[in-house]
Amino acid sequence: MSRRSVPLWGILRGCSKQEGPHKLTMTDSTPSRLIIDQFDPEDLLPSGIDTLIADVLRHDADGSAVAGVTQDRNRVGSWSTASIDSVRFDFFGLADTDRRRASRVRVPHSLLVICGIARFRHRLRQFQYVHAHRIETGAFVSVALRGSKLIQFVHNDSTGLIGANSDSFWKHLPWLYRILERRALRAAHAVVLFNRGDAARMQKIRPDVHVAQTWYDSAVFDTRPASPASDTLRVCWVGRFEAQKDPLLALQTVAALARAGHSVELHMAGAGSLEASLAQQARDLKAPVAFHGSLARKEVAALMRSSDVLLMTSHYEGSPLVLVEANASGIPVVATSASDPDQSLDDKTNGIRVSSRDPRELASALAMSHRFAAADCRASVQHRSSASAVPALLRIVEEGSQ
């Protein structure tokens, strides 16, 4: 039986095999912060959490260590050095898995991470702070790594996460998610919530929840260069091909715009379980669409700079990175209201929020997107550059400095 087809009981049995302490091989300047997540520094996914962690590593002047997943079995259970864009950091492999082949894994990646913490917790030296980016991970860290201060990050609208349109396994166990959520929030030194809409509910559990917004990397996302005017509206869509993001609605919207007589192209960057059905739907709808696959961050930036507008069709979001990255690239955003929980869009400056999920109404908004100036779009998010936002957030949540 291959490693990636191990059933649930095999994973749980492996968790019970605790490893004793041994001499750690870490850099001379050991950081005070450990980031724990299903994060693979050698295979970054174009997801919000991966991007956020990578930005913390880039902009953290004190340095951070990471405990995550790897495709190299030799890195499991030991410290080594990893790097992202020339930034080097200590890395501990908690589990061996390929996140891009999730359909072949019988257990959630977060459970693999939790089992790795349980198995190797004596090798995870005591850090002053531990950052957890999933509720289940934070709840377990609060028990397994009691000597460290837990910083719990919450990225998604929990109602959506456990709802019918979620692609998370938590939609099958919503009651357990709520139990773990209360545990993690109450045990944490600080809680960072990237979802303004869920703030009131969570502040009943933890009154000092810090509500934050995501950011953009100004070294990657910048205003597109001037290009010759074209009669064809270039629409880009970036995300996972999963139910939460509703990529089918994007196809339906652009098809509706084309039927109304507009010259339009849809460029979709992403991958996921709905990929095959989307391709069939595109043929059935005769939608003018190009599929670009899963793109690296710099490739997403290039796609945005060559586009006229970003379309977002999500059923729920936290504080979406792709929205602020599009505005930073100088293009407006047309989004369902659930795609913009921060209420960042202003129909006078940077985009249109559409309350309906009717493709015709979204298509009508796309047809009006030409009225937004690139300078206004960029100005609307200039205060959200990662170079200033990341250090400020770390100061606030770890040291309590305003």
Side-chain angles (χ1 to χ4, degrees):
M1 182 179 290
S2 70
R3 167 65 182 83
R4 292 181 179 85
S5 63
V6 174
L8 179 58
W9 66 265
I11 298 294
L12 296 176
R13 185 176 61 181
C15 287
S16 64
K17 296 179 180 179
Q18 299 177 17
E19 300 287 343
H22 78 309
K23 186 176 180 180
L24 303 181
T25 354
M26 299 186 72
T27 56
D28 293 336
S29 177
T30 300
S32 63
R33 181 181 303 108
L34 176 65
I35 300 170
I36 298 182
D37 193 63
Q38 54 215 50
F39 177 84
D40 184 348
E42 295 184 338
D43 184 26
L44 296 183
L45 300 180
S47 70
I49 295 179
D50 267 27
T51 300
L52 186 145
I53 292 174
D55 282 342
V56 169
L57 293 168
R58 290 186 184 99
H59 297 293
D60 172 19
D62 300 327
S64 300
V66 176
V69 299
T70 176
Q71 297 180 50
D72 182 355
R73 294 185 181 183
N74 294 324
R75 300 183 77 176
V76 175
S78 63
W79 287 100
S80 58
T81 302
S83 64
I84 295 176
D85 295 342
S86 76
V87 176
R88 295 171 66 83
F89 52 91
D90 295 312
F91 176 79
F92 189 93
L94 293 169
D96 161 34
T97 189
D98 181 351
R99 297 183 299 167
R100 295 182 187 271
R101 300 171 69 183
S103 62
R104 299 185 65 179
V105 180
R106 294 190 184 181
V107 295
H109 290 128
S110 58
L111 182 55
L112 294 177
V113 168
I114 288 170
C115 287
I117 298 170
R119 184 179 180 186
F120 301 117
R121 63 181 180 272
H122 295 299
R123 298 186 185 183
L124 298 172
R125 60 170 293 277
Q126 183 171 315
F127 289 78
Q128 185 177 4
Y129 302 103
V130 174
H131 288 195
H133 290 267
R134 320 271 170 171
I135 284 293
E136 59 271 31
T137 307
F140 188 77
V141 162
S142 70
V143 175
L145 304 177
R146 289 180 180 273
S148 302
K149 295 178 179 178
L150 170 65
I151 309 296
Q152 180 67 59
F153 290 81
V154 183
H155 293 269
N156 263 315
D157 177 345
S158 63
T159 303
L161 187 70
I162 61 179
N165 292 307
S166 174
D167 53 284
S168 168
F169 71 96
W170 286 121
K171 72 178 180 181
H172 305 295
L173 296 168
W175 57 272
L176 179 56
Y177 181 86
R178 291 300 189 207
I179 291 173
L180 295 175
E181 180 185 63
R182 287 193 295 273
R183 167 70 200 186
L185 266 57
R186 289 170 177 166
H189 172 71
V191 178
V192 180
L193 173 64
F194 290 104
N195 181 1
R196 199 168 101 179
D198 209 18
R201 184 191 65 83
M202 292 188 68
Q203 284 167 345
K204 292 179 181 178
I205 304 171
R206 179 70 185 254
D208 62 344
V209 166
H210 178 77
V211 183
Q213 291 182 315
T214 47
W215 46 76
Y216 71 96
D217 187 343
S218 58
V220 177
F221 294 88
D222 51 15
T223 305
R224 56 183 175 159
S227 57
S230 170
D231 291 334
T232 299
L233 180 69
R234 286 176 58 91
V235 180
C236 66
W237 185 99
V238 180
R240 291 177 293 109
F241 292 165
E242 303 293 350
Q244 175 197 345
K245 306 294 184 178
D246 201 357
L248 176 57
L249 179 56
L251 286 178
Q252 294 169 334
T253 296
V254 170
L257 193 59
R259 286 196 300 270
H262 294 268
S263 178
V264 59
E265 297 173 353
L266 174 62
H267 295 265
M268 302 188 79
S273 63
L274 300 179
E275 193 165 351
S277 66
L278 274 177
Q280 182 59 53
Q281 290 286 347
R283 290 190 289 270
D284 293 345
L285 292 168
K286 296 183 173 54
V289 58
F291 294 103
H292 295 267
S294 184
L295 299 181
R297 205 173 184 190
K298 290 182 179 179
E299 294 171 320
V300 169
L303 176 63
M304 288 181 173
R305 285 194 295 271
S306 67
S307 300
D308 298 304
V309 59
L310 172 75
L311 174 62
M312 294 186 67
T313 51
S314 302
H315 285 285
Y316 67 93
E317 287 285 351
S319 177
L321 279 165
V322 68
L323 187 154
V324 67
E325 289 170 347
N327 280 165
S329 301
I331 64 172
V333 179
V334 169
T336 56
S337 56
S339 297
D340 181 28
D342 289 334
Q343 298 184 16
S344 299
L345 297 180
D346 176 351
D347 62 9
K348 296 182 177 59
T349 57
N350 65 343
I352 302 172
R353 187 186 308 107
V354 181
S355 58
S356 167
R357 300 188 66 83
D358 186 330
R360 293 168 297 181
E361 293 195 28
L362 286 164
S364 178
L366 284 177
M368 296 187 290
S369 63
H370 62 84
R371 72 181 193 225
F372 297 99
D376 289 340
C377 291
R378 184 163 177 79
S380 72
V381 296
Q382 264 185 328
H383 63 291
R384 293 173 65 175
S385 168
S386 59
S388 56
V390 172
L393 179 63
L394 294 178
R395 281 197 308 272
I396 291 171
V397 300
E398 292 184 350
E399 306 298 338
S401 171
Q402 300 294 325

